[in-house]
Amino acid sequence: MFVKSDKMQAKAPPQDRILDAALRVFRRHGFRRSSIEQAAEEAGLTRQALYHHFASKEALFRAVLERIYAQGLAAEIAAAKAAEEAGLELADILVAEIGARMQSLLASLKDSPHTEELFSEHLAQARDLYQSYSNRFTEEIATTIARVCRKRKLKLESGVSVRELARCVEMAIHGTKSAFPSMQPVDAFLKQLETMLRMLIAGAMAPSAKKSQRKTGVRK
């Protein structure tokens, strides 16, 4: 997420301005040491004016998280579309798709010394939101796999369904996160994630599908 100029912030809708300010505060102080007063001051509002939009620090944190997740989902969808239009193979498409999502999420917390705390608190404060978006991310991956397989006439190994592969992709993401709890350093995290995704997808493709991709000359 880029930092908006003062002129752009002044033109932003009040709620967007508050969420931008709150994200800066959470990134700077973490969740536990942040306050409604700090967020209000950062947004150029009184505490009472901020309470008009959000009833508590917890509600404000949830709103910030929801926007971060929504931006990640949008980045994922756009990257998958671009990679598919470029004629890339399924593995490359999924790597681009997941990579765009993770880059978007990580950009929101860039340079924060409280990344681990924020990840921990987001589960404590908004587990339902996390689970909801986790399901949406999985559905988006499944949609991509199904669409690409249908268009390219690819097949998965016997016994492997599109949804099962999508769930395994999400499990690979969580597995990589266990090795990099705060997803830092970013380059190492993304590289390890890409390796896991490519191995997983290669193992899920039926031999005939692999041959088909080679014959059609799909670009890497």
Side-chain angles (χ1 to χ4, degrees):
M1 175 184 294
F2 63 90
V3 178
K4 296 181 179 179
S5 67
D6 291 341
K7 186 175 181 180
M8 290 173 71
Q9 289 183 42
K11 292 182 178 179
Q15 195 161 45
D16 285 346
R17 184 154 50 100
I18 292 169
L19 293 179
D20 286 340
L23 176 58
R24 292 194 295 273
V25 169
F26 289 132
R27 194 163 50 194
R28 191 180 305 141
H29 303 290
F31 174 77
R32 300 184 192 97
R33 294 188 177 184
S34 295
S35 67
I36 283 287
E37 288 79 7
Q38 290 169 328
E41 182 179 356
E42 185 76 19
L45 301 171
T46 65
R47 183 177 63 177
Q48 289 73 21
L50 193 149
Y51 274 129
H52 178 72
H53 296 275
F54 299 99
S56 64
K57 180 176 78 169
E58 289 73 20
L60 180 58
F61 188 56
R62 282 178 61 91
V64 168
L65 290 174
E66 184 160 18
R67 189 170 68 162
I68 288 174
Y69 280 135
Q71 289 171 339
L73 183 60
E76 176 174 339
I77 292 170
K81 181 180 178 182
E84 191 175 341
E85 289 177 349
L88 301 185
E89 293 183 7
L90 178 60
D92 297 311
I93 293 169
L94 292 177
V95 165
E97 179 174 350
I98 302 302
R101 182 214 304 179
M102 303 313 296
Q103 288 277 20
S104 176
L105 297 178
L106 288 166
S108 298
L109 302 177
K110 186 178 179 182
D111 299 327
S112 172
H114 306 285
T115 302
E116 262 189 81
E117 181 211 332
L118 291 170
F119 276 119
S120 174
E121 284 295 332
H122 99 280
L123 291 176
Q125 302 294 333
R127 184 173 291 274
D128 60 321
L129 190 62
Y130 166 78
Q131 291 175 336
S132 174
Y133 269 91
S134 180
N135 291 335
R136 292 177 70 177
F137 289 140
T138 302
E139 286 298 318
E140 191 57 42
I141 293 169
T143 298
T144 297
I145 295 170
R147 183 177 62 246
V148 174
C149 285
R150 183 177 63 253
K151 288 182 177 180
R152 308 273 177 83
K153 297 182 180 178
L154 304 175
K155 292 184 179 180
L156 302 179
E157 283 281 8
S158 177
V160 178
S161 71
V162 167
R163 289 186 179 278
E164 285 170 338
L165 178 54
R167 282 196 295 270
C168 286
V169 168
E170 284 297 314
M171 289 172 65
I173 296 171
H174 294 303
T176 308
K177 279 201 251 181
S178 69
F180 298 85
S182 61
M183 295 193 274
Q184 302 290 335
V186 175
D187 289 344
F189 166 75
L190 292 174
K191 183 62 179 176
Q192 184 63 54
L193 177 58
E194 178 179 347
T195 299
M196 291 186 69
L197 290 174
R198 289 189 182 282
M199 291 175 65
L200 176 63
I201 296 160
M205 301 303 295
S208 59
K210 297 170 187 174
K211 291 179 183 178
S212 174
Q213 290 192 82
R214 287 196 295 268
K215 287 180 180 178
T216 54
V218 177
R219 291 184 291 121
K220 291 185 178 181

